[in-house]
Each structure stands twice: as structure tokens, then as C-alpha cells.
Amino acid sequence: MAANSSLRDRFERGLAAPICLTWELTYACNLACTHCLSSSGRRDPRELTTAEALGLIDEISAMQIFYINMGGGEPMIRSDFFQIIEHAVERHVGVKFSTNGTRIDPAAARRLASMDYLDIQVSIDGADATTSDAIRGSGTYDQARRAMDNLRDANFGQFKISVVMTRESIEQLDEFEKLAQGYGAELRLTRLRPSGRGVDVWDQLHPTLQQNRDLYKWLINRPNVLTGDSFFHLSALGDPLEGLNLCGAGRVVCLIDPVGNVYACPFVIHDEFLAGSIRDGGFAKVWTESELFRSLREPGNPGACGSCGSYDACRGGCMAATVFTGLEMTDPDPECVFGHGETALAAKRVSIRPTPSPDHSRRTPVALTTR
């Protein structure tokens, strides 16, 4: 249900602990998706050890954080993956992890199905192989479908099918809905951000103004389709979409990267938005004492959006989308539904954009195997 204004105001001032915490377990990945928000590929040698990972889960449990989003990279590449998520289950910490599915063979699917407090999101970027493989690599769609088959056959339950909305995939909304229904799965749509490698492909992949307006209408009629609050910038078109409808960066969400750095948001992996490290006193210290987080919890400056009658609905849009397209924090979201972001980009003639850091991209993906 969409948050009311008083609840949203409370969230904007920050909470004692995040509602959900995104934790990228590793930068290692066997794919090379063109829009990867963390520029994953090669493992970072400074990656948190197993002991550090288990200790972080203990701290998360003590803070009573509702659940954690685990991702990467491909989280199942870590040899201690099952040890980590089983420890979270033992500590009654809910785990939602995103995967490309290439390592969910029948045995892994059965092991996953035996766990409580576990949610799985299998990623595809098209309702057919041609569309999805163009983003994720040859053969990846079939691998993801095989993972879905294995989860279904293992009686895992209701997993999620996660799709990033690009200029091509957004034309397949009805097909995605049918695909999810066929598996008894939930459909989860997320916004393409110009983060990581997405900076390089955003111009050609992000949905058009009309496509975003059509997406809003489609979502309004389907409250059961999950979005993770990705599209709150579209709420300026009328009734608010389901969710908090605000930028929760440093207020109710944040990111821990594979080496323990804490960023305000999963989509702003950049030194400007680095709040600290869990290796310097733990996560709780960063969450409560970071100067960056304190500043984000102060009343925001609406900037150029202040004169727009829809500001209360969209709150100026996504910080990451604004920054990584070369706009200022006080500029409109580049995908503003009224076109103000496009106007701002054209006026500034942005040619140099901030580069997300770090980049762990590999030149070519490794061979696709299930184990």
C-alpha cells in the first residue's frame, strides 16, 4: 500500500535501522550484463571473509533489520554462499537474493527449497531469448528458465522473476505477466539506472517518455506486480504507485559492497556517496554516525522541482539517475514524466558524466555452467 504523507515524512528523517539492507556478496560474476549496476565480473581480493560475513549477519540480527537483499555479481559463486544464508536463517534474518540462475541446478534448488525465510529473484531481461540475451549474453535466458524449472520442480514455492525495464523489455509487459503466472511466480519490475555499466548504455536503453507513461498505467492496474519502489518518479502522473514513493537512500535503505564499504544506495556506488566501512567499527556505527547519512536525513532542497505542483508526489525522482546522467542533485530526474529532465540535460549539454566506482568488469564472461 502506498505510504501516507506522515509516514513518508517519518521515513525521510531516517530510522534506527534500515527497513532493508542490500548486500552485494561478491563482484565475481560469470556474466557480463551490459547494464550491470555494480560493474561486476572479477572478484575483489579484499572481499569480506566468511567470518566477517557471518559476523555481519549477527549484527544485522541484533539490529532487528527486517530482511537483507543479497546480490552481486552472482552471489552463488561464493563457495560459502550456503553457509552464509543458512546462518542468516538461523538468526531469523530474512534473505532475498538475486541470481542469474546459472548455478541453480536440481540439487541446489532442493537445498534452497528446504530453507525458511528465503526469497529468490531470478533475473531475465526479456520475455524471449533474443531480447534477454542481447543484454545478458548468449544462452542466459535458457539458463534462467532452467533455474525456474528447477525451483518449480523442487517445490520451492513462489519465487520472483525480476526484470529491468529497458526500451525493449518494456514492450513485453503482458508476456512477462503470463510467464510469471505460468510458474506461479511473482513478477518484479525494476528501473534501469545509469549506474555501473549502465552509464554507458543508458542513453539507448532507458524507456522513452511515452513508454514510462504507459508503464505507469500498466502498474496502476496491477498492484500485485512488485517494483521495489523503483518507479516513484512516475507517481507524478496521478495516483501514487505502491510503495514509499521517496528516495530512501541513507534513510531507510543502503548498500554494503563486497569489501564492506557502505553506500547510501545500491545505485550510487561512488566515493561521493560512501558513508564508511563495516570494518571500522561495524555497520551500526556507520548507520548511526555517518555524516553523509545525517545530511541525507535533513530536509531536502527541491531545487528546480520546487515550483512543480507534482513535487510532493515524486520528490524529485531518483538521486542516482540524476547524478550519473551528469545533472546536479537539485535538477529534475532525467526521466521526469513531464520532460523537465530531458530539458535540463539538453540545456547543460552534458558530455562528461561521473564514473561509478569501482569497476570489476571482465572483458568476456566465463563459460556458462550450472556448477
Side-chain angles (χ1 to χ4, degrees):
M1 187 174 186
N4 60 41
S5 58
S6 60
L7 183 60
R8 184 174 65 182
D9 290 344
R10 173 70 186 91
F11 287 158
E12 283 188 321
R13 294 192 296 272
L15 302 178
I19 292 176
C20 68
L21 171 66
T22 296
W23 178 12
E24 309 288 26
L25 282 185
T26 182
Y27 284 122
C29 191
N30 55 341
L31 304 188
C33 302
T34 61
H35 59 13
C36 179
L37 64 91
S38 58
S39 298
S40 287
R42 294 171 288 111
R43 186 187 305 272
D44 193 306
R46 302 168 299 158
E47 194 172 272
L48 295 178
T49 65
T50 300
E52 288 176 314
L54 300 182
L56 175 57
I57 288 172
D58 291 340
E59 186 175 13
I60 289 169
S61 176
M63 292 177 69
Q64 298 183 319
I65 295 174
F66 184 58
Y67 69 91
I68 51 178
N69 289 313
M70 285 187 178
E74 171 50 52
M76 294 187 73
I77 282 181
R78 278 192 63 139
S79 60
D80 56 2
F81 169 76
F82 280 105
Q83 182 181 358
I84 291 171
I85 61 172
E86 286 168 352
H87 187 72
V89 169
E90 290 172 359
R91 294 294 186 270
H92 302 287
V93 175
V95 174
K96 178 187 298 182
F97 81 91
S98 298
T99 175
N100 57 38
T102 57
R103 297 207 165 199
I104 302 182
D105 62 12
R110 290 192 295 271
R111 188 170 182 180
L112 293 168
S114 71
M115 299 181 194
D116 295 323
Y117 309 112
L118 182 65
D119 192 11
I120 299 176
Q121 297 179 168
V122 181
S123 297
I124 56 175
D125 282 302
D128 55 69
T130 299
T131 306
S132 188
D133 287 4
I135 301 293
R136 307 184 68 82
S138 178
T140 56
Y141 178 81
D142 290 341
Q143 287 276 7
R145 289 295 301 271
R146 190 171 300 119
M148 296 177 201
D149 292 342
N150 291 335
L151 290 171
R152 178 198 58 203
D153 295 344
N155 296 314
F156 175 84
Q158 193 176 48
F159 59 88
K160 293 176 173 60
I161 299 174
S162 183
V163 188
V164 175
M165 289 288 91
T166 66
R167 203 164 293 182
E168 286 73 34
S169 65
I170 206 168
E171 296 294 331
Q172 301 178 322
L173 290 170
D174 292 339
E175 288 84 351
F176 288 122
E177 186 175 37
K178 292 175 183 175
L179 178 64
Q181 290 170 348
Y183 280 104
E186 290 184 288
L187 179 60
R188 184 177 188 271
L189 307 182
T190 61
R191 183 181 178 185
L192 174 70
R193 263 87 167 196
S195 305
R197 287 194 292 270
V199 167
D200 298 324
V201 299
W202 190 83
D203 285 336
Q204 67 253 37
L205 288 185
H206 79 92
T208 65
L209 184 59
Q210 186 58 52
Q211 284 179 321
N212 271 320
R213 290 173 175 172
D214 292 341
L215 173 62
Y216 169 80
K217 295 175 185 177
W218 195 87
L219 288 171
I220 279 289
N221 292 321
R222 292 166 177 81
N224 292 329
V225 172
L226 307 175
T227 65
D229 223 17
S230 287
F231 302 102
F232 66 90
H233 65 299
L234 302 183
S235 291
L237 288 168
D239 294 332
L241 295 171
E242 294 294 310
L244 300 178
N245 282 295
L246 60 83
C247 174
R251 301 178 175 108
V252 297
V253 299
C254 67
L255 167 86
I256 299 176
D257 80 354
V259 301
N261 290 328
V262 183
Y263 294 89
C265 162
F267 307 107
V268 289
I269 304 176
H270 186 276
D271 289 347
E272 184 179 349
F273 302 99
L274 175 61
S277 171
I278 67 166
R279 284 171 162 160
D280 297 326
F283 173 69
K285 179 180 178 182
V286 179
W287 181 258
T288 57
E289 299 181 13
S290 163
E291 289 298 325
L292 172 66
F293 285 175
R294 287 178 181 173
S295 67
L296 290 172
R297 294 163 189 166
E298 294 294 324
N301 174 11
C305 297
S307 60
C308 177
S310 297
Y311 176 74
D312 284 343
C314 75
R315 312 302 282 184
C318 174
M319 175 174 67
T322 301
V323 170
F324 287 135
T325 50
L327 295 172
E328 302 295 329
M329 291 274 285
T330 52
D331 283 327
D333 187 297
E335 290 186 291
C336 167
V337 294
F338 303 119
H340 300 317
E342 292 181 354
T343 300
L345 283 170
K348 294 195 173 185
R349 297 179 181 176
V350 175
S351 59
I352 300 177
R353 300 174 177 174
T355 302
S357 57
D359 189 337
H360 290 83
S361 299
R362 61 170 71 247
R363 291 182 179 177
T364 57
V366 299
L368 282 180
T369 58
T370 55
R371 292 302 295 169

